[in-house]
Amino acid sequence: MARRKKIYEGKAKILYEGPEPGTLVQYFKDDATAFNAEKRATVDGKGVLNNRLSEFFMTGLNTIGVPTHFIKRINMREQLIRSVEIIPLEVIVRNVAAGSMAKRLGLEEGAPLPRPIVEFSYKEDSLGDPLVPEEYIIAFGWASQQDLDDMVALALRVNDFLSGVMYGVGIKLVDFKIEIGRIYDGDFMRLVVADEISPDSCRLWDIKTGQKLDKDVFRRDLGNLTDAYTEVARRLGVLPTNVTHTTKPTLIN
Ligand code: UDP
């Protein structure tokens, strides 16, 4: 059997050539990294959970008319996606002060913000993904003013959707990161949500207890990461029946 072509390998995912032009297969690994990959571990079952959770969020976004790269889940660890040209920015939306913002501004983690705040980091691991002002983004040609306006609008729609979904299961969406890609249709270009949406890229706090249900559990050694992600998946009703092992072939719809 021919080995399929690997297009790109990142810290948590691998991209393979897809079955048709313009498509890719996105494979979710069990690898967890933090602090610009200084901290690493393999977390059994994380890839399976993130594949399911990202499918759940992206499908919901597609349904309400927020375009994403997601086409369909293929199996436990893989999904079919549209190939996009990734804009080299991390788009971060914050509802509550936490993480790098709390540190930078001397705010207490959990301090409410006056309104959702969208910020951009330049995606470059060797520089530690520095925060960049819109002025840099336009001057260096990473995106146009129109793209930026569209990215902010897209990010805020994702925020409203995710906040509502999470609120419904007793979880506060503190902040999250998305990546945005370009798809070209003839002379037209549109922006779509790409990469993944999962507890790896969100801060999720239990509304009642404040318990962290996201990658901070790994970053800050707060317990078992798979348990935290499983709890999110369970509440959303997307818990896979068999996380790590399949004893016999299982047909997945
Ligand atoms: N985030 C991410 N990837 C990154 C940086 C941040 O997914 O490379 C997410 C992070 O999980 C959090 C949000 O973006 O939900 C804001 O992260 P922050 O800037 O506070 O950085 P951190 O404290 O994680 O370094």
Side-chain angles (χ1 to χ4, degrees), residues 90 92 94 98-101 119 129 175-177 200-203 219:
E90 302 203 325
I92 294 169
R94 301 178 184 275
S100 67
M101 173 192 246
E119 65 182 43
D129 300 337
D175 57 30
F176 66 92
K177 183 253 332 186
D200 267 7
S201 52
C202 301
R203 281 198 172 91
R219 292 190 190 98

